C-alpha cells in the first residue's frame, strides 16, 4: 500500500539534505511552455542538476516560490526532474 505521508516526508528530507549540504549552487533560468520564466537554484546529485529552489514571477506581480519548505502550491511545485536550461552562474 502506498503511504502518501511517508513519500512526502522522504521527499522533503531529500531536498532538505541536498539544499543544506550543497557546496556548489547553480543559478539557472528556464522558459516554460506558456512563456513564463522560472529562476532555479540547483545542486548536483549523481551527476545531474536538481532544483532545490525555484521561483516564478507573474505578470500580476506575484512570486510563486518552491523549496523543501514549500514543495507545492496552488500554482505549481518544485520540479522532481533534472534541470533544463543553461547555467548562468555558480555561487
Amino acid at each position: 500500500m502506498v503511504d502518501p505521508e511517508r513519500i512526502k516526508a522522504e521527499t522533503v528530507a531529500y531536498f532538505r539534505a541536498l539544499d543544506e549540504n550543497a557546496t556548489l549552487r547553480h543559478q539557472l533560468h528556464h522558459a516554460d511552455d506558456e512563456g513564463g520564466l522560472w529562476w532555479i537554484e540547483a545542486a548536483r546529485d549523481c551527476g545531474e542538476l536538481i532544483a532545490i529552489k525555484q521561483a516564478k514571477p507573474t505578470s500580476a506581480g506575484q512570486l510563486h516560490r518552491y523549496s523543501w519548505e514549500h514543495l507545492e502550491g496552488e500554482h505549481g511545485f518544485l520540479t522532481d526532474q533534472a534541470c533544463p536550461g543553461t547555467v548562468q552562474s555558480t555561487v
Side-chain angles (χ1 to χ4, degrees), residues 9-40:
E10 289 175 357
T11 302
V12 167
Y14 168 74
F15 285 112
R16 182 178 185 174
L18 196 55
D19 183 23
E20 291 178 347
N21 296 310
T23 56
L24 182 63
R25 295 166 185 266
H26 301 268
Q27 308 299 317
L28 304 96
H29 68 270
H30 173 72
D32 62 23
D33 295 336
E34 299 161 358
L37 186 61
W38 287 91
W39 295 96
I40 301 168

Side-chain angles (χ1 to χ4, degrees), residues 1 4 10 13-14 32 34-36 40 45 48 55 59 78 81-82:
M1 179 186 284
E10 289 175 357
Y14 168 74
D32 62 23
E34 299 161 358
I40 301 168
D45 187 33
E48 294 185 310
S59 58
L78 183 63
Q81 303 295 310

Side-chain angles (χ1 to χ4, degrees), residues 4-18 67-69 71-72 78-80:
E5 289 302 315
R6 182 184 59 80
I7 292 170
K8 183 175 180 179
E10 289 175 357
T11 302
V12 167
Y14 168 74
F15 285 112
R16 182 178 185 174
L18 196 55
S67 69
W68 64 266
E69 296 173 291
L71 288 176
E72 61 185 308
L78 183 63
T79 184
D80 60 354

